Amino acid sequence: MANEKQQFVEELKALLQKDVAEVKEQVEQIKTQFYRQYHQDLEAQKQAAEVAATEAGETLENWVPQVDETEQEFRELLNTYKQRRAELQQQIQEEQAQNLLRKENILAQMKEMAEAETADVMDNLKKMRDLQAEWKTIGPVPATKTQEIWKNYQQYQERFYDLVKINIELRD
């Protein structure tokens, strides 16, 4: 039985060699299987101790399970995995914060163009399209800001194209 647990430890070690973003489900499965086996072994150990205590005419009040070095090693590997996941989450949050700053910068430029009544709207059209293209290349922002920033993007875009439409109508 210890052999099965050691096999789970080896599988977890192999998974830790891969990208932590891709192995979450596999780690959870191995963790579940390991601890199912661990608790079965613990129960068997307790039952064996109960039988031995009964045969000796004693009680099992102060029974302490044997230290399982395999479980300790497994726990250390899980902690390593959790630490790597936390680092990955931190990195993702930092990237999203940078993306938010970039998008807010684009929004400020779009707002300026959408509210500029005296500027040559047709010159700003290429700038607007460049900003829209840049917007599309920027990755995700924090989920709490997604809706708000998207609403502002659409609003400034709409205002600007209203100015373009008015400008064209005035020229005609």
Side-chain angles (χ1 to χ4, degrees):
M1 291 190 216
N3 192 19
E4 279 185 54
K5 290 189 295 189
Q6 189 60 42
Q7 183 180 352
F8 293 132
V9 168
E10 297 304 321
E11 288 178 29
L12 185 56
K13 281 181 184 177
L15 286 177
L16 287 177
Q17 301 303 314
K18 298 179 181 179
D19 184 9
V20 292
E22 298 174 3
V23 296
K24 181 180 180 186
E25 288 181 25
Q26 294 143 313
V27 169
E28 288 300 319
Q29 288 175 347
I30 290 172
K31 178 181 166 185
T32 301
Q33 293 170 341
F34 178 88
Y35 278 107
R36 183 179 302 131
Q37 184 64 50
Y38 173 76
H39 290 295
Q40 286 175 357
D41 291 353
L42 202 60
E43 189 60 34
Q45 192 182 98
K46 185 175 181 181
Q47 287 176 356
E50 284 177 349
V51 168
T54 304
E55 288 176 358
E58 300 172 0
T59 61
L60 197 62
E61 293 174 7
N62 298 327
W63 178 74
V64 177
Q66 295 175 352
V67 175
D68 188 341
E69 292 177 16
T70 307
E71 194 268 339
Q72 289 176 337
E73 181 180 8
F74 190 81
R75 192 177 319 146
E76 288 172 13
L77 291 171
L78 278 179
N79 287 336
T80 300
Y81 167 76
K82 289 175 184 177
Q83 181 181 1
R84 289 184 186 169
R85 291 265 314 157
E87 290 169 1
L88 176 64
Q89 283 303 115
Q90 180 67 29
Q91 180 183 356
I92 289 170
Q93 288 175 349
E94 289 171 5
E95 283 178 24
Q96 288 180 345
Q98 290 299 318
N99 291 343
L100 179 62
L101 290 175
R102 289 177 60 199
K103 285 189 175 188
E104 286 174 340
N105 182 31
I106 289 174
L107 286 176
Q109 294 175 51
M110 289 175 75
K111 180 179 181 182
E112 191 176 299
M113 285 191 286
E115 294 176 350
E117 296 177 17
T118 58
D120 185 9
V121 175
M122 298 316 268
D123 286 341
N124 283 342
L125 188 57
K126 179 172 178 2
K127 292 178 188 174
M128 177 61 82
R129 289 187 178 141
D130 289 344
L131 289 174
Q132 289 170 324
E134 184 181 347
W135 179 277
K136 290 178 183 176
T137 65
I138 299 172
V141 298
T144 58
K145 297 287 187 176
T146 301
Q147 190 173 11
E148 174 189 343
I149 204 157
W150 180 247
K151 189 188 315 181
N152 289 339
Y153 174 78
Q154 289 177 320
Q155 178 184 9
Y156 297 140
Q157 187 174 252
E158 207 173 286
R159 278 191 204 169
F160 178 79
Y161 283 114
D162 285 346
L163 284 177
V164 170
K165 184 178 177 184
I166 291 169
N167 188 296
I168 291 172
E169 287 174 359
L170 289 176
R171 285 185 182 182
D172 291 343

